[in-house]
Amino acid sequence: MTMEEVENGRDDMLIDGIEPKQNQNIEIPEEFNANYLRAYYAKLFPYTDMFKWMSYGNDGRHPGCDQSYVGRREISFTLENDIYTRFLSFNSITELEKAIKEKCPFKIDIGAVYSVDPAKKDAYSQNAFTPVERELVFDIDISDYDDVRFCCSGANVCSQCWPLMTVAIKVIDTALRDDFGFNHILWVYSGRRGVHCWVCDGKARRLNNEQRAAITEYLHVYKGNENSNKKVSLMGPLHPFLARSYTEVLKDFFEEKFIYSQELFSNEERYEKILEMIPEESVTSELRGKWLDNKRSRDDVNMARWGHLKQLLQSGKHKAQGIRRCVEEIVLSFTYPRLDKEVSKHMNHLLKAPFCVHPKTGHVCIPIDPNHCEEFDPSAVPTLSKLLEELNRGGLRSEGEDELENTSLGKSIRYFRSSFLQPLLKSCKEEIESSYAAKTQQSKNTLSW
Amino acid sequence: MEIVRSQRKSSFPSSDIVVPTIPLYRSTPALEVRLEEFELYAVQRLRVLHGISDGLSRGKKPDEIQKLVKDLWKVNMMHPDASEVVNKDIISHFVLRLVYCREEELRKWFLSMETTLFCNRLQLETPEAQRALWDEFGLPYKAVSIAEYESVKDKLNQVARAIGQSSSSADTIFYKVPFEEVPDLVAKRKVFVQKGIAYVATNQVISILMTQYRSHLSKALALTYRKWNSMIREQEKDRLTPIVEALSTSYLGPDYSQPREYAELSLKDIDQVAKRSFPLCMRHLFEKLREDHHLKHGGRMQLGLFLKGVGLKLDDALAFWKAEFSRKVGADRFDKEYAYSIRHNYGKEGKRTDYTPYSCQKIISSTPGVGDHHGCPYRHFSLENLRVALAKMGVGGRALEEVIDKTQNRHYQLACTLTFEAVHGASCDAGVNHPNQYYIDSKRIMESKNNSKSP
């Protein structure tokens, strides 16, 4: 990462000095710079909520609370000019707040909870220092879809391709809840090109690497690489999980939105990509013949051609192995969520914390409500400059908590608290109490011997 | 386990030791073992494990592995005295535990091979024998009631069809097991999973047993390692320790982390050498790097460690990668983001482990994704792309068809061996097991050709 923006940054950031009525565009000219970030950390970053979350109820007074818990969590800061500082740890909210305000990290990553304080790891042998808990996390990047989107590439994203993320959230979220029985799931916009998912149930945090890998593989369908044509291969009929994802989410999305928004059949180069996935020569040549003469019809070309393809593949005329599943394979290849598997498989992977600010876009990494993920618009995400403007405008009127509430970040914080944090802490409390009760019961039993 | 020098045959009443099932190796047996047998049994079991490892790396299908295990077991693990068969099984297992407990990599390999062995032997057993093991592990899982079965029947049948089995009937018993206990079935979507519970059919029970066995063995290995360090090595330093140490070195296969022959690869030769002596997987990465001035992480690891293994010095490696990457991302960003991991590979950063170049097995089992160029071309390329790549290496005609044929039958390493032979015009009897071995064999042949030309 290069931080050119920073160099052009203004030295003085007069948060309180700006007159509310001045033209805002002049006052907050950039999306991001270190001074803005400092102001964000001073006024807006939700320390209490983050720390509550990381404590998982262990900051309470109950005798079952593990007071060392939160201090064994690895936090990592990426400072200006890409200076990585790993294996930091914080025992209290004051320590965390102080360090963040002082260091002003461009990025904050959350790692695993280790067996011992990660900041003192060198004092222990390598075996004594191991990760013991970690949220089950997922990372989905739009740049991994470059071969199926034609509107943007790389880190860019627009309203044409973002819906790929929306369907990814729907598919994965449903599987995590219905199949695996997880309840405490947080989806977060990664600030630029994708989404992160944090599964925070106690059961999820205690999964070992093999079990994480099993879930990841269960959710993973896309097998394509740069040198193969077929990206999704189905051996037989769909597993109930895939069947549900296909019929409830992906098929409709593909047929009603995606083929139009990406104009998948509009020219030869694009439809050849799809024909490549059909292993039967006679089918592809028939379709090519049909499409080459380019007859104008009343229907949209994408709809018409997808119709031809489906009709031919599903007519039952072709009995060859591998043909029957072709329609499903094509839909899944284009729309099925593409996970960055390595992030999910290992406990010690870092993932960027929610409410960080992306240094390239100035976007705050806000939570996404999976029940309303269609409404999420990455271009409408609060940016650092917008938030500071709002602060400046409201600065004279309110103080403290209210300040945050009155900005456009308020809605995200409220969602984070009410839909994620409160239910999570409630179940953490119950878990701590019941495991403590079981433990005391057990020790009573041993005493009676 | 008592190990005795005497030639006396251990005399146990045979009724005591004939167990009608596969042992779980829970504790060291109270047997007397002769020193010769100690070593011999271990070597024989090791042949089985290596056979399995080889079969897996050739991408054999489950039923092929099944047959392979059966044959290997028969050839190596029988005993003229039928009552001794179980003892031999147990003794050889415990000896190898000692041999393989001593390093992380060794433990991993042993764990994985022993688990595969256990699982395949189990498949040959009767359902009763499997049930007996289930009892021995004391597993608490409940069978699905008939009423409940009706409510999930459609889903269970859907799974059965998806994995190519006929629909289940009401008399198939399903067990409700937390999904964490059957990770392999979950990973392959071979079970119906609902609210964290996997519905495991009777014929999948092996998977549960396998998980149990694996975790039991994994813990046991850690324990053995501690005992070895704290006690056994010292106590047995004149007797068992030399045998154990010899066993591990002579059967582990060569270590390619340190370049040995043709020990130097200098930057000025690298393009030429890549063309002549790199296996296709490395050649492809090398060319992509020259073309795109970038490789993703998997590719950097696969190629980077290979280059280290063939003798590219750290300084040269840094220069090599920098020359390419800086054209794409700038020298500054290279120094910040990529140089660390190269030094890391050479054991100069982080844990300071000297990382080993990837073997064929590891490369074949990798899963390259979008934008990735690593992996085994024979396994991960489409056939058209493979043909083009092979043609570029100068493989054509009959040889090309043979390579393609092996590829289609999923004999990836054989395909690579045939490629080697076609390119070099010389046979490669040992087969290709490691990209660095390919390189060394290739250099050797090039050398001898040069020598014969200019006597």
Side-chain angles (χ1 to χ4, degrees):
Chain A
M1 258 184 278
T2 46
M3 303 290 167
E4 295 131 31
E5 296 95 321
V6 175
E7 283 151 30
N8 316 330
R10 307 185 327 158
D11 291 325
D12 51 334
M13 250 303 297
L14 300 169
I15 294 267
D16 301 322
I18 293 168
E19 290 295 319
K21 278 184 189 163
Q22 275 184 326
N23 189 331
Q24 290 139 4
N25 289 335
I26 296 171
E27 291 310 320
I28 313 287
E30 299 165 81
E31 296 297 357
F32 185 89
N33 79 32
N35 289 319
Y36 297 177
L37 188 61
R38 199 158 283 128
Y40 173 77
Y41 285 138
K43 299 268 180 183
L44 295 173
F45 188 79
Y47 298 98
T48 317
D49 298 290
M50 292 295 283
F51 197 77
K52 276 264 164 217
W53 170 29
M54 287 296 112
S55 301
Y56 286 103
N58 284 297
D59 53 347
R61 294 240 177 85
H62 192 275
C65 292
D66 177 355
Q67 300 297 341
S68 77
Y69 183 88
V70 74
R72 287 185 280 122
R73 167 79 71 167
E74 178 190 358
I75 304 291
S76 152
F77 288 171
T78 306
L79 308 178
E80 200 172 346
N81 299 322
D82 289 322
I83 299 162
Y84 298 95
T85 49
R86 282 201 64 176
F87 299 113
L88 309 173
S89 65
F90 303 99
N91 275 305
S92 68
I93 183 164
T94 341
E95 276 179 35
L96 176 74
E97 191 168 344
K98 193 170 155 241
I100 292 179
K101 284 180 175 165
E102 204 174 285
K103 296 269 161 55
C104 191
F106 278 33
K107 182 158 143 264
I108 303 169
D109 280 293
I110 299 175
V113 177
Y114 285 86
S115 48
V116 296
D117 180 352
K120 301 185 186 119
K121 75 183 177 76
D122 294 334
Y124 298 89
S125 76
Q126 230 173 63
N127 290 338
F129 179 69
T130 52
V132 289
E133 272 193 28
R134 165 61 161 164
E135 293 79 7
L136 174 64
V137 294
F138 297 95
D139 179 8
I140 309 172
D141 278 343
I142 193 79
S143 47
D144 283 336
Y145 291 80
D146 277 0
D147 60 324
V148 295
R149 54 181 192 146
F150 305 101
C151 47
C152 313
S153 69
N156 296 325
V157 50
C158 71
S159 59
Q160 304 293 316
C161 53
W162 181 261
L164 283 165
M165 293 290 111
T166 310
V167 294
I169 294 175
K170 285 185 186 170
V171 166
I172 303 297
D173 191 70
T174 308
L176 291 171
R177 290 175 204 272
D178 292 358
D179 299 3
F180 293 102
F182 296 126
N183 296 311
H184 303 289
I185 301 170
L186 179 70
W187 287 93
V188 183
Y189 173 52
S190 73
R192 182 152 76 153
R193 56 175 179 175
V195 291
H196 295 160
C197 173
W198 300 78
V199 187
C200 303
D201 299 57
K203 212 170 88 158
R205 281 179 277 138
R206 288 185 289 271
L207 292 169
N208 65 31
N209 285 344
E210 193 192 7
Q211 293 159 339
R212 281 161 209 266
I215 297 177
T216 313
E217 291 301 336
Y218 180 90
L219 297 174
H220 178 78
V221 169
Y222 183 85
K223 295 262 154 66
N225 66 60
E226 289 304 299
N227 300 293
S228 69
N229 295 332
K230 214 161 181 180
K231 310 293 185 181
V232 172
S233 301
L234 300 168
M235 292 315 188
L238 296 174
H239 180 278
F241 153 62
L242 291 179
R244 180 191 63 212
S245 307
Y246 181 76
T247 53
E248 288 179 10
V249 183
L250 301 174
K251 179 168 172 286
D252 289 351
F253 168 67
F254 183 81
E255 295 190 329
E256 287 162 21
K257 302 218 176 83
F258 202 63
I259 55 172
Y260 305 114
S261 68
Q262 297 297 331
E263 305 210 46
L264 291 184
F265 292 87
S266 59
N267 62 44
E268 189 179 341
E269 192 194 339
R270 289 189 190 176
Y271 69 62
E272 276 303 326
K273 267 175 134 33
I274 293 167
L275 293 181
E276 271 175 12
M277 296 181 208
I278 303 172
E280 180 65 35
E281 190 69 45
S282 64
V283 177
T284 49
S285 55
E286 189 177 336
L287 288 173
R288 256 182 218 114
K290 220 176 197 154
W291 296 347
L292 266 181
D293 58 9
N294 232 338
K295 252 189 297 179
R296 292 242 162 230
S297 78
R298 284 177 298 127
D299 294 335
D300 176 274
V301 66
N302 299 295
M303 182 172 77
R305 288 177 173 174
W306 173 242
H308 298 152
L309 185 150
K310 272 213 305 193
Q311 198 187 11
L312 201 55
L313 285 173
Q314 292 173 336
S315 64
K317 233 167 71 187
H318 298 277
K319 291 266 151 48
Q321 267 294 320
I323 284 289
R324 287 169 52 198
R325 312 252 77 92
C326 247
V327 171
E328 288 160 356
E329 283 177 348
I330 291 169
V331 173
L332 292 174
S333 294
F334 277 85
T335 59
Y336 189 84
R338 299 178 178 188
L339 305 171
D340 181 344
K341 289 200 288 177
E342 294 311 309
V343 174
S344 309
K345 282 181 171 178
H346 302 286
M347 287 179 102
N348 54 3
H349 246 283
L350 297 172
L351 194 66
K352 181 161 59 173
F355 299 109
C356 279
V357 180
H358 196 290
K360 285 277 166 67
T361 60
H363 281 151
V364 180
C365 304
I366 55 167
I368 301 174
D369 182 351
N371 296 321
H372 300 101
C373 53
E374 302 86 348
E375 294 155 25
F376 183 84
D377 173 4
S379 65
V381 168
T383 60
L384 204 44
S385 53
K386 181 167 179 232
L387 288 172
L388 297 190
E389 273 169 29
E390 289 170 352
L391 267 189
N392 287 339
R393 259 185 278 138
L396 301 169
R397 274 181 272 123
S398 55
E399 269 301 312
E401 272 293 277
D402 285 351
E403 222 167 11
L404 174 58
E405 295 281 332
N406 291 335
T407 65
S408 47
L409 199 57
K411 194 173 154 231
S412 300
I413 301 269
R414 283 192 295 275
Y415 167 80
F416 181 82
R417 282 178 195 155
S418 64
S419 299
F420 171 69
L421 194 57
Q422 279 160 13
L424 172 69
L425 294 182
K426 186 164 169 277
S427 81
C428 287
K429 192 164 164 262
E430 285 162 8
E431 202 178 289
I432 287 173
E433 284 167 2
S434 71
S435 84
Y436 182 75
K439 226 188 266 168
T440 41
Q441 190 58 43
Q442 208 179 8
S443 60
K444 262 186 209 147
N445 290 345
T446 27
L447 280 179
S448 69
W449 280 94
Chain B
M1 187 156 57
E2 281 295 302
I3 291 115
V4 293
R5 275 182 198 286
S6 79
Q7 296 297 311
R8 183 173 56 92
K9 194 106 187 69
S10 51
S11 51
F12 280 90
S14 58
S15 59
D16 277 355
I17 22 180
V18 177
V19 188
T21 179
I22 305 163
L24 293 178
Y25 317 105
R26 286 200 186 248
S27 53
T28 37
L31 298 173
E32 291 186 347
V33 187
R34 284 183 299 141
L35 216 44
E36 306 88 276
E37 283 170 355
F38 182 91
E39 189 169 5
L40 180 68
Y41 288 179
V43 170
Q44 286 171 326
R45 190 184 193 89
L46 208 43
R47 287 210 190 104
V48 177
L49 299 185
H50 272 291
I52 295 173
S53 167
D54 186 54
L56 290 174
S57 69
R58 279 163 201 263
K60 290 204 168 169
K61 295 176 214 153
D63 53 320
E64 292 169 323
I65 293 284
Q66 175 88 80
K67 187 176 173 304
L68 180 75
V69 168
K70 199 174 165 185
D71 295 344
L72 284 167
W73 192 260
K74 211 162 162 187
V75 171
N76 293 293
M77 294 305 287
M78 289 298 120
H79 195 280
D81 182 353
S83 67
E84 278 292 298
V85 171
V86 173
N87 286 347
K88 181 172 174 180
D89 181 3
I90 295 175
I91 292 163
S92 60
H93 173 88
F94 276 100
V95 176
L96 289 187
R97 250 194 220 181
L98 273 186
V99 176
Y100 280 84
C101 73
R102 297 169 310 141
E103 270 172 48
E104 178 67 26
E105 280 299 306
L106 299 184
R107 282 197 291 273
K108 257 201 207 144
W109 184 85
F110 182 68
L111 187 60
S112 153
M113 292 312 135
E114 277 284 337
T115 311
T116 312
L117 173 64
F118 177 80
C119 170
N120 279 285
R121 286 175 71 197
L122 206 53
Q123 269 155 7
L124 299 167
E125 293 286 332
T126 59
E128 291 77 48
Q130 294 177 5
R131 184 72 221 184
L133 279 180
W134 174 280
D135 291 340
E136 209 175 325
F137 277 122
L139 299 172
Y141 309 122
K142 293 232 164 58
V144 175
S145 69
I146 296 176
E148 196 187 350
Y149 174 78
E150 286 302 319
S151 71
V152 289
K153 191 171 76 179
D154 292 346
K155 303 287 185 194
L156 295 175
N157 286 337
Q158 214 175 344
V159 176
R161 284 195 305 274
I163 57 179
Q165 288 172 355
S166 51
S167 293
S168 65
S169 63
D171 51 277
T172 319
I173 299 171
F174 285 90
Y175 292 96
K176 289 170 74 169
V177 182
F179 78 88
E180 294 97 323
E181 301 283 324
V182 282
D184 62 318
L185 296 179
V186 172
K188 294 186 182 128
R189 288 192 290 268
K190 286 188 169 178
V191 279
F192 173 56
V193 192
Q194 188 175 44
K195 291 284 171 203
I197 299 293
Y199 289 70
V200 180
T202 327
N203 60 1
Q204 296 173 321
V205 159
I206 287 175
S207 165
I208 305 175
L209 298 174
M210 192 175 101
T211 308
Q212 295 289 329
Y213 177 73
R214 195 191 164 87
S215 84
H216 156 70
L217 181 57
S218 167
K219 282 180 205 135
L221 277 171
L223 193 69
T224 314
Y225 174 56
R226 241 176 287 151
K227 281 192 187 158
W228 168 263
N229 263 342
S230 62
M231 257 161 58
I232 309 175
R233 180 166 50 193
E234 188 52 33
Q235 276 175 8
E236 295 285 345
K237 68 173 190 295
D238 302 321
R239 205 171 59 142
L240 294 186
T241 304
I243 300 180
V244 166
E245 275 166 1
L247 271 172
S248 67
T249 49
S250 52
Y251 293 93
L252 285 179
D255 167 17
Y256 291 105
S257 63
Q258 299 300 330
R260 17 172 105 196
E261 288 170 89
Y262 311 107
E264 295 221 342
L265 175 60
S266 75
L267 279 182
K268 63 177 169 37
D269 305 331
I270 197 164
D271 285 278
Q272 211 185 5
V273 172
K275 240 187 204 117
R276 283 197 326 224
S277 295
F278 281 14
L280 181 52
C281 53
M282 300 302 169
R283 199 181 140 122
H284 177 67
L285 284 171
F286 186 82
E287 283 167 0
K288 277 292 155 195
L289 176 65
R290 288 281 198 229
E291 220 173 284
D292 301 345
H293 316 300
H294 191 269
L295 282 178
K296 292 182 78 171
H297 177 258
R300 296 200 298 272
M301 290 299 286
Q302 184 174 318
L303 180 62
L305 288 171
F306 169 79
L307 291 175
K308 182 181 87 162
V310 303
L312 190 66
K313 297 251 171 55
L314 174 59
D315 286 344
D316 287 346
L318 283 167
F320 168 71
W321 289 100
K322 188 169 183 169
E324 291 302 331
F325 270 62
S326 56
R327 294 176 60 181
K328 172 113 176 186
V329 302
D332 216 32
R333 219 179 122 193
F334 175 85
D335 290 338
K336 272 183 199 152
E337 287 176 37
Y338 300 99
Y340 177 92
S341 75
I342 292 164
R343 285 197 302 275
H344 194 265
N345 281 348
Y346 279 76
K348 303 292 178 209
E349 297 280 1
K351 274 203 292 186
R352 298 187 182 261
T353 317
D354 204 356
Y355 289 91
T356 342
Y358 293 171
S359 67
C360 289
Q361 196 184 339
K362 180 157 180 149
I363 292 172
I364 289 170
S365 56
S366 66
T367 50
V370 187
D372 277 330
H373 286 284
H374 67 278
C376 172
Y378 304 97
R379 160 114 196 238
H380 297 112
F381 279 26
S382 66
L383 282 182
E384 298 95 272
N385 283 337
L386 182 61
R387 278 175 190 278
V388 174
L390 286 168
K392 246 169 92 186
M393 285 179 88
V395 183
R398 238 191 99 112
L400 178 63
E401 291 316 312
E402 280 173 18
V403 172
I404 296 291
D405 180 59
K406 290 287 178 232
T407 306
Q408 280 176 315
N409 288 309
R410 302 202 284 165
H411 298 300
Y412 310 118
Q413 287 172 266
L414 290 180
C416 188
T417 310
L418 289 180
T419 307
F420 180 97
E421 291 177 346
V423 170
H424 296 84
S427 74
C428 174
D429 299 329
V432 175
N433 292 308
H434 201 294
N436 291 74
Q437 171 222 341
Y438 182 109
Y439 174 83
I440 289 172
D441 288 353
S442 166
K443 290 291 273 186
R444 194 174 289 143
I445 288 169
M446 296 292 174
E447 207 95 323
S448 69
K449 275 187 188 158
N450 283 346
N451 290 344
S452 60
K453 263 182 225 155
S454 49

